Amino acid sequence: MTTSEARTRTAVTTRLDRLVHEVRETVARCLPPDRTAHLVGERLAPHLGAADLLTGRQCEGDPGHYRQHVLHAEPDGSFSIVSLVWLPGQRTTVHDHVSWCVTGVHTGREHERRYALVPGDDGPRLVATRDVVNEQGEVCGFAPPGDIHRVWNAGEDKAISLHVYGADITRLGSSVRRVYEPPAGER
């Protein structure tokens, strides 16, 4: 699918259009990435859980892996908004990002494990630093460096989250900068 097809195939609800406008205004302030992520999170939070935010199609999962629906890619490449649909047991790789990122749980809950690279005798190694359960309505934001994590749905029901990235992922193909091998004992 081309970038223009991705933009034109996405149905936009009135609420999603309002969110896009709010994010656009925030990103246009050209603040540092961590500050931008914080302010975008404040704009995203009031929309989470609203029945009129996403269409039924934007809430569809895939039994093989978590599913990403591109909701908006700003024409100037400054941000993208996607919904990620997680069926029970689905997870990401351990990864970091190409830009600042804000995530908010629309329905269900997401589990997240955060990591740090620490010096070791054989070079840097990945160490889990924190496990977080993000409930419906909760928002978190981060900016590289220090944004290594993994996300999964440990529940019995579908979970949906919205992610706002400070880049056009339809042009880049992904928000992931690097994928890491999980520490020993994790799969």
Side-chain angles (χ1 to χ4, degrees), residues 149-166:
H149 73 158
R150 161 182 268 168
V151 181
W152 69 95
N153 179 357
E156 296 179 13
D157 297 315
K158 176 170 48 175
I160 302 172
S161 55
L162 267 69
H163 297 232
V164 184
Y165 302 107

Side-chain angles (χ1 to χ4, degrees), residues 118-175:
V118 298
D121 293 339
D122 298 328
R125 63 186 176 87
L126 205 57
V127 174
T129 60
R130 185 171 177 208
D131 283 343
V132 179
V133 177
N134 298 303
E135 302 286 346
Q136 190 279 318
E138 293 184 341
V139 173
C140 66
F142 44 85
D147 62 321
I148 304 169
H149 73 158
R150 161 182 268 168
V151 181
W152 69 95
N153 179 357
E156 296 179 13
D157 297 315
K158 176 170 48 175
I160 302 172
S161 55
L162 267 69
H163 297 232
V164 184
Y165 302 107
D168 182 347
I169 63 165
T170 64
R171 291 182 193 159
L172 299 175
S174 173
S175 67

